[in-house]
Amino acid sequence: MLMKYKLLITALLVSVSATAQEYQSISSLEASNTDFGSVDLNRYYLNSTYYFDKKSSIGPVDQFSYINTTNNLSASYSQSETFSVDDNKYTSFNGEVYINKLLIGGRYSDFNAADFSSNSYSMSLGYLFNENFLLSSTVHKTEEIAATYTFLAKYNHQINQTDYFGLSATTDDEVDSKGISATYFTALADNKYLKVTAEYNDDELNGDHWRAKGEYYLNDYTSAFLQYQKNDYQEIGAKHFFNDHIALSASYLSHDNDNDIEVFNLTLHLQL
């Protein structure tokens, strides 16, 4: 009987690993439209991340380990409209490198509007105690603004080959801003999955904010989600991979008040 259980567990592990996909770059191209009363605002966003080693998916093709331990470089560009400016441009570059268990990260961003421009950068230093526990500190510097410091702790409890519970906590050096987030991912029967995330942030300047999101995977390629956040914002969406590399997602966010807000989002995903 014990031998049968061992063979069954081995078969399950082989089955899971056989369906895992490996990717070295993940990119997305997003377009969104915001209706605010009689005003229409548009935003376009492009993001791409290159990993120096291939990352393996866990279950669905767009799900990966909670803590990233792979060296990477990423770049993003967005162009958007606001109520006062028609052409806002934002560009950023980011990198993370692990030297043994030491994490070194950097980020540079540039913002340009009609009558205003600004650039900022950040440097991070962290230590990966093991693949499930990371501590890091980041210094942020924006042009003509004093530097600020933030601290991050990430912990992952790996339940089995796919299931995990992840927890992250952040704060700044003066504890004016702090936040906590949790993620639970689990495999269900019949090749289905469930992912639940929740986060809470408290900022001395902007007050507190929270959100909760549930995502249900019909299979490795198709999912739908429902999200609710403070002040009665609701969002629904779906994502479908046509093959192992190309996906399309769409979402709709609404907020019922005196001036109804509606946000429509369409994103093309590419994983290679």
Side-chain angles (χ1 to χ4, degrees), residues 106-160:
R107 180 182 178 89
Y108 173 82
S109 62
D110 180 73
F111 176 79
N112 281 282
D115 300 316
F116 176 78
S117 64
S118 176
N119 60 69
S120 63
Y121 64 88
S122 65
M123 293 293 294
S124 299
L125 188 65
Y127 189 79
L128 186 70
F129 290 85
N130 55 58
E131 62 181 7
N132 293 317
F133 185 44
L134 171 69
L135 287 178
S136 66
S137 176
T138 303
V139 55
H140 309 266
K141 183 67 176 73
T142 301
E143 191 176 5
E144 299 182 358
I145 299 177
T148 59
Y149 299 83
T150 58
F151 305 93
L152 166 69
K154 296 191 76 171
Y155 171 74
N156 175 57
H157 174 62
Q158 196 68 38
I159 301 170
N160 54 40

Side-chain angles (χ1 to χ4, degrees), residues 16-262:
V16 170
S17 62
T19 59
Q21 301 296 326
E22 291 187 332
Y23 301 100
Q24 200 147 12
S25 69
I26 299 176
S27 305
S28 62
L29 176 61
E30 174 187 323
S32 65
N33 173 262
T34 300
D35 287 336
F36 186 82
S38 60
V39 180
D40 270 352
L41 303 175
N42 297 305
R43 177 177 181 265
Y44 306 95
Y45 177 75
L46 173 64
N47 180 76
S48 183
T49 301
Y50 175 81
Y51 297 93
F52 289 86
D53 293 308
K54 291 187 176 181
K55 290 173 65 68
S56 297
S57 62
I58 53 170
V61 294
D62 66 347
Q63 292 299 307
F64 302 90
S65 57
Y66 183 69
I67 298 177
N68 174 65
T69 58
T70 306
N71 297 346
N72 64 87
L73 289 173
S74 64
S76 65
Y77 172 82
S78 68
Q79 186 168 330
S80 61
E81 302 169 335
T82 64
F83 295 104
S84 58
V85 180
D86 290 336
D87 193 10
N88 295 313
K89 296 178 181 178
Y90 180 82
T91 306
S92 69
F93 301 93
N94 186 77
E96 291 181 321
V97 176
Y98 281 93
I99 302 176
N100 293 323
K101 293 188 175 183
L102 185 67
L103 170 64
I104 299 174
R107 180 182 178 89
Y108 173 82
S109 62
D110 180 73
F111 176 79
N112 281 282
D115 300 316
F116 176 78
S117 64
S118 176
N119 60 69
S120 63
Y121 64 88
S122 65
M123 293 293 294
S124 299
L125 188 65
Y127 189 79
L128 186 70
F129 290 85
N130 55 58
E131 62 181 7
N132 293 317
F133 185 44
L134 171 69
L135 287 178
S136 66
S137 176
T138 303
V139 55
H140 309 266
K141 183 67 176 73
T142 301
E143 191 176 5
E144 299 182 358
I145 299 177
T148 59
Y149 299 83
T150 58
F151 305 93
L152 166 69
K154 296 191 76 171
Y155 171 74
N156 175 57
H157 174 62
Q158 196 68 38
I159 301 170
N160 54 40
Q161 187 86 352
T162 56
D163 298 15
Y164 69 83
F165 175 75
L167 191 66
S168 297
T170 60
T171 187
D172 62 8
D173 54 329
E174 297 182 355
V175 201
D176 292 332
S177 175
K178 45 195 173 293
I180 187 168
S181 65
T183 301
Y184 175 64
F185 181 80
T186 183
L188 306 175
D190 300 323
N191 202 34
K192 294 176 172 54
Y193 305 88
L194 177 66
K195 184 177 183 180
V196 179
T197 58
E199 67 177 41
Y200 175 81
N201 295 283
D202 186 16
D203 187 280
E204 190 175 80
L205 181 62
N206 301 309
D208 66 338
H209 179 268
W210 60 266
R211 73 178 182 94
K213 179 180 178 181
E215 190 167 9
Y216 179 73
Y217 284 82
L218 283 75
N219 50 51
D220 289 351
Y221 297 92
T222 305
S223 63
F225 77 84
L226 176 63
Q227 178 172 275
Y228 190 81
Q229 52 187 304
K230 185 181 177 181
N231 297 324
D232 294 328
Y233 284 91
Q234 308 101 27
E235 185 176 10
I236 59 173
K239 183 177 184 180
H240 176 68
F241 275 82
F242 299 97
N243 51 43
D244 290 337
H245 306 285
I246 300 174
L248 194 64
S249 66
S251 64
Y252 169 72
L253 181 146
S254 64
H255 180 221
D256 296 329
N257 56 15
D258 293 336
N259 295 304
D260 291 347
I261 297 177
E262 294 181 316

